[in-house]
Amino acid sequence: MTVFEELKERGLLAQLTDEEEIKELINNGKATFYIGFDPTADSLHVGHFMALCLMKRMQMAGNKPIALIGGGTAMIGDPSGRSDMRTMMTKEQIQHNCDCFKEQMSKFIDFSDGKAMMVNNADWLLDLNYVELLREVGAHFSVNRMLTAECYKQRMEKGLSFLEFNYMIMQSYDFYELYRKYGCNMQFGGDDQWSNMLGGTELIRRKLGKDAYAMTITLLLNSEGKKMGKTQKGAVWLDPKKTSPFEFFQYWRNVADADVLKCIRMLTFLPLEEIRKMDSWEGSQLNEAKEILAFELTKMVHGEEEAVKAKESARALFSSGNAADMPTAELAEADLVDGNIDILTMLLKSGLVPSKSEARRAVEQGGVSVDGEKVTDIKALFAKDALAGEGIVLKRGKKNFRKVLIK
């Protein structure tokens, strides 16, 4: 199976501008390609997984990745998929986030000996002369055509700033600069980036002539991949300080039955032959598939030792109600009344519920347990001694739990 065929079977490729030329480049290790990352936080999250795994696969086949950090475009903000304008960041915030990204990307991409590059579009965008940009780049873009792009249409009713309107031009200019400076002949992006990407391809051809070629490919289900990074309590980060290896493992262990095999196919590096055998799995076998998915991805991000610990802790949690490495909530003496804490307060203080009324509903509906024992009395009390030492395991539902300790 060729590299291109594998990417297709794994469900990673959608729209292409020139399939035969793209096959030739990818299969023969001739692609120098880029994927952009907006540094809007100081950590990547699981919504970036698809792009990172794709870059790793392409590099393993001899192609050269360029990780483009949007230090310049982050000063503007991408309107794609947004209902409001993104909060502006300082240059210092953006640079800090860029530094964090490179450290995390190095777990996926080999940057040694020129095998890959990380560049920041601030290097060329921040010094652009406005009038020169209008003449040299703006002249190649039709406003009428730009307004047909989905990313702009979605914002027209609520209001699209002129600042954001320039995002397509900036992203297109990125591809042009990468082509000129580094011979970048291919770009990958999410399905919500298609119009911006085509703008880059067209700009190269208009500026450098018809002989200049540049390919665009979108990642199938990348918008869904972004949703993977969100939970009810926020993003699932790759930084262990933000999301512990155990929480990371549990996130993937709890994916929906309908998604687990799709995630294994797109995100892991298990052989396709092995994955095809899983296609017929159902029932309890899907739980096994979820554990495989969680282990493989945790190993990729946090290392095999942490992945093994997370798997063992998860099994211990569900077999005996104890786990050594799980999210922890520490209570203070002030949280106790006469040396005790009631179940509703403990649920609230642990962060498992947003309010006392939600805690009451959870208990009354039978969704709360302590050390594996269901709690149905909303007035149940727990003594300080029970919270000392190893503490207790407090669970709400099947997926949410905390080890609760007293400081």
Side-chain angles (χ1 to χ4, degrees):
M1 177 180 289
T2 66
V3 180
F4 184 85
E5 288 171 343
E6 180 175 357
L7 296 181
K8 292 282 281 188
E9 183 171 339
R10 287 185 181 273
L12 291 169
L13 304 183
Q15 302 177 78
L16 316 173
T17 51
D18 189 330
E19 184 166 326
E20 292 306 313
E21 186 65 36
I22 288 170
K23 283 182 183 178
E24 167 68 19
L25 293 172
I26 289 177
N27 290 338
N28 292 289
K30 297 179 180 178
T32 298
F33 67 97
Y34 94 89
I35 297 180
F37 299 83
D38 278 340
T40 53
D42 59 2
S43 173
L44 298 167
H45 57 71
V46 298
H48 294 110
F49 239 112
M50 194 179 299
L52 294 170
C53 292
L54 176 68
M55 295 176 85
K56 182 178 178 70
R57 292 183 206 281
M58 291 279 287
Q59 187 179 50
M60 289 169 63
N63 299 289
K64 184 175 181 177
I66 298 177
L68 177 66
I69 305 299
T73 41
M75 302 290 287
I76 295 175
D78 182 1
S80 300
R82 297 184 61 84
S83 59
D84 55 3
M85 188 169 171
R86 177 172 284 157
T87 303
M88 292 291 185
M89 296 187 296
T90 66
K91 291 182 181 179
E92 291 74 22
Q93 287 174 315
I94 292 172
Q95 184 57 53
H96 172 70
N97 295 348
C98 291
D99 295 339
C100 294
F101 277 21
K102 184 166 186 179
E103 181 179 351
Q104 293 176 356
M105 286 181 180
S106 295
K107 297 178 181 179
F108 295 81
I109 304 163
D110 181 2
F111 288 100
S112 67
D113 303 322
K115 296 174 185 174
M117 299 177 61
M118 174 173 280
V119 296
N120 189 333
N121 63 14
D123 293 343
W124 54 81
L125 291 182
L126 297 188
D127 293 329
L128 282 174
N129 177 286
Y130 183 61
V131 174
E132 182 181 353
L133 177 69
L134 289 177
R135 288 174 56 87
E136 298 299 320
V137 180
H140 298 291
F141 286 81
S142 162
V143 171
N144 291 347
R145 186 173 176 182
M146 290 173 70
L147 289 175
T148 64
E150 195 63 32
C151 62
Y152 290 145
K153 287 196 296 185
Q154 293 175 356
R155 288 289 306 279
M156 289 300 289
E157 291 185 7
K158 293 191 175 182
L160 176 71
S161 72
F162 183 69
L163 179 71
E164 294 171 295
F165 186 65
N166 280 269
Y167 192 90
M168 181 184 292
I169 295 176
M170 297 293 96
Q171 184 170 331
S172 299
Y173 189 74
D174 283 344
F175 195 18
Y176 171 71
E177 281 293 296
L178 291 171
Y179 181 91
R180 285 197 317 117
K181 291 176 179 290
Y182 308 112
C184 181
N185 52 22
M186 190 175 295
Q187 58 179 333
F188 286 79
D191 51 9
D192 58 345
Q193 296 291 312
W194 185 241
S195 297
N196 295 347
M197 295 168 68
L198 288 178
T201 300
E202 185 64 22
L203 179 62
I204 289 174
R205 289 174 176 165
R206 284 176 175 269
K207 292 283 291 179
L208 302 178
K210 293 183 179 180
D211 291 337
Y213 66 92
M215 308 299 161
T216 54
I217 302 178
T218 62
L219 304 186
L220 181 63
L221 298 173
N222 198 41
S223 59
E224 187 170 321
K226 290 179 180 178
K227 293 176 186 176
M228 289 180 187
K230 302 294 182 181
T231 68
Q232 294 179 351
K233 296 187 178 181
V236 176
W237 305 101
L238 305 195
D239 184 345
K241 296 185 181 69
K242 289 176 172 285
T243 300
S244 72
F246 181 80
E247 290 174 301
F248 188 86
F249 181 95
Q250 282 300 111
Y251 173 79
W252 294 108
R253 176 61 182 79
N254 292 322
V255 298
D257 288 355
D259 294 333
V260 59
L261 293 178
K262 177 174 62 179
C263 290
I264 287 176
R265 183 169 272 105
M266 290 190 298
L267 304 178
T268 76
F269 285 78
L270 296 176
L272 282 169
E273 295 81 4
E274 184 176 337
I275 297 172
R276 291 188 197 112
K277 295 176 182 177
M278 299 181 188
D279 286 337
S280 60
W281 285 11
E282 56 186 21
S284 62
Q285 289 178 306
L286 291 179
N287 288 328
E288 182 182 347
K290 291 177 186 181
E291 187 172 271
I292 291 171
L293 171 68
F295 181 81
E296 290 296 322
L297 298 188
T298 305
K299 180 174 68 173
M300 196 184 306
V301 174
H302 299 295
E304 186 164 5
E305 182 178 350
E306 290 295 338
V308 170
K309 286 169 59 179
K311 182 169 72 172
E312 291 176 348
S313 291
R315 287 181 174 179
L317 172 68
F318 291 105
S319 62
S320 63
N322 290 303
D325 181 23
M326 70 169 68
T328 299
E330 291 188 348
L331 302 179
E333 289 281 352
D335 296 321
L336 305 178
V337 177
D338 296 330
N340 299 300
I341 186 169
D342 65 89
I343 186 65
L344 302 187
T345 301
M346 189 160 60
L347 282 165
L348 181 63
K349 293 290 184 180
S350 69
L352 289 175
V353 295
S355 66
K356 280 280 188 78
S357 59
E358 185 70 21
R360 177 187 292 268
R361 279 194 295 272
V363 172
E364 291 176 340
Q365 292 170 3
V368 175
S369 67
V370 172
D371 285 342
E373 296 293 328
K374 185 176 291 188
V375 178
T376 57
D377 182 2
I378 61 172
K379 296 181 180 180
L381 297 176
F382 297 86
K384 177 181 177 180
D385 291 345
L387 303 171
E390 292 296 318
I392 62 173
V393 175
L394 179 63
K395 289 181 63 178
R396 179 196 173 195
K398 296 180 179 179
K399 302 179 181 180
N400 303 299
F401 44 84
R402 291 288 187 278
K403 176 173 282 191
V404 182
L405 306 167
I406 189 74
K407 289 183 179 179

